[in-house]
Structure formats: structure tokens, C-alpha cells
Amino acid sequence: MSIKRYGTGQTGAGGKPLPFARAVEANGWLHVSGQVAMEDGEIIDGGIVAQTHKAIGNLIAILHEAGYDVEHVVRVGVWLDDPRDFWSFNKIYQDYFGAHPPARACVESSMMVDCKVEIDCVAYKTPEA
């Protein structure tokens, strides 16, 4: 089995190196690390709506880079900073995943960076022979 890592050596807020891969692919499975509303190493301004679009956009960009798409996503993990944002988040989430709903867990959590939402996923597609 081969393992391929995407996005190692990236930097985060304040130019600090991130000690993890943005995604790791093994035997058809792609595990995408938690994505926040980060652009150019900084969290974007805006509330839950803007940050949800950006976090999901970042997640989808990584999927595409690895040759996957939303229909390949089998599980999503969501962390919300404020449970009152759940319905606003859910409406946007449905726009991206409504046609191909994966399994999902959504919890309230304090964040390690100053953001409203973090999203990770696991995707699968049959490995090419």
C-alpha cells in the first residue's frame, strides 16, 4: 500500500509551520485535515456564513487537488464555536453536500484559532489499477 501526502510544509497563522499534511491518501481513502476559514495564513473576517463557505471551499480544493469530489466524501466532522450557528451552518452545508450527503458528526468546541467553524472529512474512491 502506498501513502501519498498533500500539502506538507504549509504555514498557518503568523507564518508558523504546520506539522501535519492537509490530506493523506492510502488505498483509495483520503483523510482531509480540519479546514478553517483561512486565506493566506489568516482567518478571514466575517461570521459563520462567510467562514463556512471558506472552510468548505478549502476542503473541496484539497479534494480536487487529490482527484476526489464531494460525491466521494463518506464522512464529515464539524466543530462549531457557537451552537447558535448550527442552523446557519447547516443551510450552507446542504448547498455543498445535499446531493451526496455523507455521514456526519457536528459538535460544539472551543477552537485552537479564532474561527467559527472547522471541518474535516474522509473520502473514498476505488484505487486505479
Side-chain angles (χ1 to χ4, degrees):
M1 171 175 66
S2 66
I3 296 175
K4 183 173 182 179
R5 290 172 173 78
Y6 295 87
T8 57
Q10 299 291 310
T11 57
K16 302 280 188 203
L18 299 175
F20 54 86
R22 288 183 296 130
V24 175
E25 182 179 17
N27 215 27
W29 292 96
L30 183 72
H31 294 259
V32 180
S33 294
Q35 298 300 302
V36 296
M38 189 171 286
E39 186 174 294
D40 299 324
E42 299 296 331
I43 300 297
I44 66 165
D45 290 334
I48 189 64
V49 172
Q51 288 198 13
T52 299
H53 280 294
K54 184 62 178 170
I56 292 175
N58 289 346
L59 187 92
I60 291 172
I62 295 167
L63 287 168
H64 289 171
E65 177 185 345
Y68 291 72
D69 210 334
V70 293
E71 68 266 16
H72 297 114
V73 176
V74 295
R75 185 193 178 282
V76 172
V78 178
W79 295 264
L80 294 175
D81 183 57
D82 186 337
R84 295 172 294 186
D85 289 335
F86 178 75
W87 295 111
S88 297
F89 166 81
N90 232 22
K91 183 177 183 304
I92 296 161
Y93 177 91
Q94 186 173 3
D95 291 342
Y96 290 94
F97 293 99
H100 306 284
R104 185 181 93 181
C106 184
V107 299
E108 174 192 8
S109 177
S110 316
M111 302 295 180
M112 299 306 295
V113 296
D114 189 18
C115 66
K116 301 278 186 193
V117 60
E118 183 169 347
I119 306 168
D120 74 356
C121 76
V122 177
Y124 177 80
K125 68 178 188 175
T126 304
E128 297 177 11

